[in-house]
Structure formats: structure tokens, C-alpha cells
């Protein structure tokens, strides 16, 4: 992309904001109900479940760790992968001093190993929880125009904390889906590219992705279908649940996210993946203004926009020159 094209820069900025705020608002909507069963959610919020982001809402570790990865990318996205992983590892160590917003034992344990001097190639734990998937979407933005590096970076950075093949494949899918969304690809048309990008990594993930696609096209209602996919604590299920929601509501950010949070399971994680993908596709206009205004630290997201746009343009320009 020509960095001098003002309209293109404005468009990508809208999509970046859509991704950042789409992720964070969905995360914040799901936060109050993450550990509730669907029955308890309905009991507390009504038959339709939780529908609006409460005022002064914090996000969870899902958005926090996406921003941690973003800071690592700002330090070294233009580097070759080993150098970039050094920067991401440093960012994860610094994260240990941030407030605990509910991060899982796998991510925290790996970060503690990094702080103790264990190299990032050996710090990961064989866990298939969804922590690496949750932060991966920002890679799809930065490396949108370099799909090969995108896939390699998503896999390698994910394995800094989560080495299970299902988590590995989910990290790749989470990043690649954002790239596809930025390219304007509809969720329906993401299926084959996602299968190809994750091919050979994890049979579990492949089956979960196929199952999600089939259930989204079935006659089952949302609640029944989502129960069949799982609860989202494991990365393959998290992505499959998110993909189901955007398949069912491909043009409706709000409805897709509301569907994602009202489950028995990892509500905030499932929703934030879905919200980030739809936000990246349609831009900031897709995210309800009232939800954005309800975020109590939205300024942190705003501060990231200009540096991330600058890094995106640098990385895209470098790729263009090499090509």
C-alpha cells in the first residue's frame, strides 16, 4: 500500500479501531457472566441474557494481553521472527507487573519462566486453553500484507505460552481471521482459507472448525448449537464458538457478540474473538457508541491507534520493497 494514500490510511484506521474496540467492548460485555451458567445469566439479566455493556466497564486479561502483544509488535514487528519473539517475551515479562485481570495459569506460568531467564522457545506449557488465541488477532492487522509471516508469527508467539497443537492452530486461525476480515472477506468465505492456514497443525482444531461451520448452517437454534460446540475454555472450542456466532450474524456486530456472551462457558473470550473479527471487517462504525463510551479505559486503546498504524505502514512498505 502506498503510505501516501490518505483515504487508504483513513480506511485502515477505521478498521483498526473496529478491531481494538470491537474486541474490548465484547470482552467487557462478557466479563460479568464469564463464570455463570446460561441459566444463571438468564435469571440475573432476563430471558435474552446480558445485552448491554454496563457503565464504567473494565475489560479482562483477554484485551490486556492483546495490548501486551501489540506493544511487543511496536518494538519489533519489522524484525525477523527470532528478534520479534525476543520483544514479545520482554513485553510478557513487563506484563507481570500490571494489575491481574484474570489471566490463566498457563500464560502467567510461562511469563514467570521468561522472567526467570528461560528462553521463549522453552517457556510454553502444553496447555490448550485459549490464552494465546486471545491476543493473536492484532498479528492479523500488523502482518495483513505478509500472510506467511503472519502465520509463522501467530504460531511462534502463541507457543511462547501455549504449546498444545490445538492452541497453536487456534492462534493461527485467530490472527488469520482478522487479516481476512480486514480484506473484506465474509465469515462464510473464511472457512476454506482458515482450513488451509491451519492445515496439519491439529486434528482437534480442524474438527472443531468443521463442526462449527456445519452447525451454523443447520436448523438448530443458537443455544442448542453452541452447547454442542463446547464451553470455550479450550482454544479449539473458543474459536469454533466465535466462528459460529459470526457465521450466524455476519453483518451484525451487536447480535453476534450478544450471542457469544450468553453461553455457559468462557463468555468474554468467545465474544472478544468474534467482536474483533467483525470489528475489523466493518470498522469502528459497527461497534455501538454506547458500548465504547462504557469502557472505563478506552483511552488506552486510543493511544495505541497511531503507533499501530505507523508500524502497519512500515511493515507493509518493507514487504512491498522486498517483493
Amino acid at each position: 500500500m502506498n503510505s501516501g494514500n490518505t483515504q487508504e490510511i483513513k480506511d485502515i484506521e477505521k478498521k483498526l479501531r473496529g478491531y481494538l474496540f470491537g474486541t474490548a467492548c465484547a470482552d467487557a460485555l462478557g466479563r460479568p457472566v464469564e463464570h455463570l451458567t446460561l441459566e444463571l445469566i438468564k435469571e440475573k439479566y432476563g430471558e435474552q441474557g446480558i445485552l448491554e455493556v454496563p457503565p464504567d466497564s473494565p475489560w479482562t486479561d483477554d484485551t490486556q494481553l492483546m495490548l501486551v502483544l501489540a506493544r511487543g509488535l511496536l518494538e519489533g514487528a519489522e524484525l525477523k521472527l527470532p528478534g520479534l519473539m525476543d520483544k514479545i517475551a520482554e513485553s510478557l515479562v513487563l506484563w507481570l507487573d500490571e494489575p491481574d485481570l484474570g489471566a490463566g495459569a498457563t500464560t502467567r506460568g510461562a511469563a514467570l519462566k521468561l522472567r526467570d531467564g528461560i528462553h521463549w522457545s522453552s517457556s510454553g506449557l502444553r496447555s490448550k486453553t485459549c490464552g494465546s488465541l486471545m491476543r493473536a488477532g492484532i498479528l492479523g492487522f500488523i502482518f495483513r500484507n505478509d500472510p506467511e509471516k503472519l502465520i509463522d508469527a501467530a504460531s511462534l508467539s502463541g507457543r511462547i505460552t501455549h504449546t498444545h497443537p490445538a492452541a497453536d492452530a487456534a492462534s493461527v486461525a485467530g490472527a488469520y481471521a482478522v487479516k481476512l476480515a480486514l480484506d473484506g472477506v465474509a465469515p462464510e468465505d473464511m472457512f476454506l482459507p482458515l482450513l488451509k492456514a491451519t492445515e496439519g497443525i491439529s486434528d482437534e482444531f480442524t474438527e472443531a472448525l468443521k463442526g462449527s461451520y456445519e452447525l451454523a448452517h443447520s436448523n438448530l437454534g443458537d443455544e442448542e448449537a453452541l452447547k454442542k460446540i463446547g464451553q470455550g475454555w479450550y482454544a479449539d472450542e473458543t474459536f469454533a464458538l466465535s466462528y459460529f456466532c459470526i457465521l450466524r450474524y455476519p453483518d451484525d456486530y451487536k447480535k453476534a457478540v450478544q450471542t457469544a456472551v450468553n453461553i455457559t462457558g468462557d463468555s468474554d473470550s468467545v465474544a472478544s474473538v468474534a467482536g474483533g473479527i467483525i470489528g475489523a471487517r466493518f470498522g469502528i462504525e459497527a461497534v455501538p457508541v454506547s458500548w465504547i463510551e462504557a469502557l472505563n479505559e478506552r483511552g488506552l486503546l486510543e493511544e495505541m491507534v497511531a503507533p499501530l498504524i505507523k508500524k502497519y505502514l512500515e511493515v507493509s512498505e518493507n514487504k512491498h520493497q522486498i517483493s
Side-chain angles (χ1 to χ4, degrees), residues 1-6 8-9 313-314 317:
M1 183 177 70
N2 184 342
S3 58
N5 190 322
T6 305
E8 283 189 61
I9 295 171
L313 293 172
E314 288 173 1
E317 191 65 29

Side-chain angles (χ1 to χ4, degrees), residues 78-94:
E78 71 284 356
L79 301 174
K80 291 184 178 179
L81 285 177
L84 173 57
M85 294 308 123
D86 288 341
K87 298 298 184 183
I88 292 170
E90 290 169 11
S91 192
L92 281 165
V93 171
L94 291 172

Side-chain angles (χ1 to χ4, degrees), residues 260-279:
V261 297
N262 288 295
I263 60 170
T264 298
D266 198 351
S267 298
D268 56 313
S269 299
V270 174
S272 61
V273 173
I277 295 169
I278 294 189

Side-chain angles (χ1 to χ4, degrees), residues 85-303:
M85 294 308 123
D86 288 341
K87 298 298 184 183
I88 292 170
E90 290 169 11
S91 192
L92 281 165
V93 171
L94 291 172
W95 161 72
L96 289 169
D97 295 326
E98 293 186 25
D100 182 358
L101 300 185
T106 301
T107 302
R108 189 163 293 279
L112 288 167
K113 289 170 74 174
L114 291 168
R115 190 170 70 180
D116 288 343
I118 293 172
H119 192 259
W120 52 260
S121 61
S122 303
S123 58
L125 305 173
R126 190 174 172 80
S127 167
K128 67 170 187 169
T129 51
C130 62
S132 58
L133 162 62
M134 301 322 305
R135 60 181 188 261
I138 192 64
L139 292 159
F141 172 76
I142 290 292
F143 298 122
R144 174 193 178 186
N145 298 311
D146 191 349
E148 187 176 335
K149 188 169 184 179
L150 188 166
I151 290 170
D152 290 343
S155 177
L156 205 54
S157 67
R159 284 185 273 140
I160 292 176
T161 55
H162 294 67
T163 64
H164 193 286
D168 187 4
S171 299
V172 171
Y176 205 76
V178 170
K179 176 261 192 300
L180 293 171
L182 292 168
D183 291 344
V185 178
E188 175 73 23
D189 297 323
M190 291 181 183
F191 180 61
L192 292 178
L194 287 171
L195 276 179
K196 185 176 181 182
T198 57
E199 188 176 10
I201 302 175
S202 165
D203 289 343
E204 278 180 278
F205 179 83
T206 299
E207 289 309 308
L209 183 62
K210 288 178 177 177
S212 173
Y213 185 82
E214 290 167 5
L215 284 166
H217 292 84
S218 74
N219 293 324
L220 291 180
D222 293 344
E223 284 184 22
E224 191 177 350
L226 288 164
K227 283 178 184 175
K228 285 182 176 291
I229 296 171
Q231 296 189 354
W233 303 111
Y234 299 120
D236 52 334
E237 292 180 0
T238 313
F239 188 83
L241 289 162
S242 303
Y243 188 45
F244 173 91
C245 294
I246 65 173
L247 281 168
R248 282 277 168 106
Y249 305 102
D251 303 322
D252 190 338
Y253 170 90
K254 192 172 185 179
K255 181 62 176 175
V257 169
Q258 289 169 336
T259 303
V261 297
N262 288 295
I263 60 170
T264 298
D266 198 351
S267 298
D268 56 313
S269 299
V270 174
S272 61
V273 173
I277 295 169
I278 294 189
R281 184 175 170 219
F282 290 115
I284 190 65
E285 292 91 348
V287 185
V289 173
S290 61
W291 289 17
I292 294 171
E293 292 176 345
L295 292 177
N296 66 7
E297 289 194 283
R298 60 186 181 276
L300 289 177
L301 299 178
E302 285 291 349
E303 289 170 9

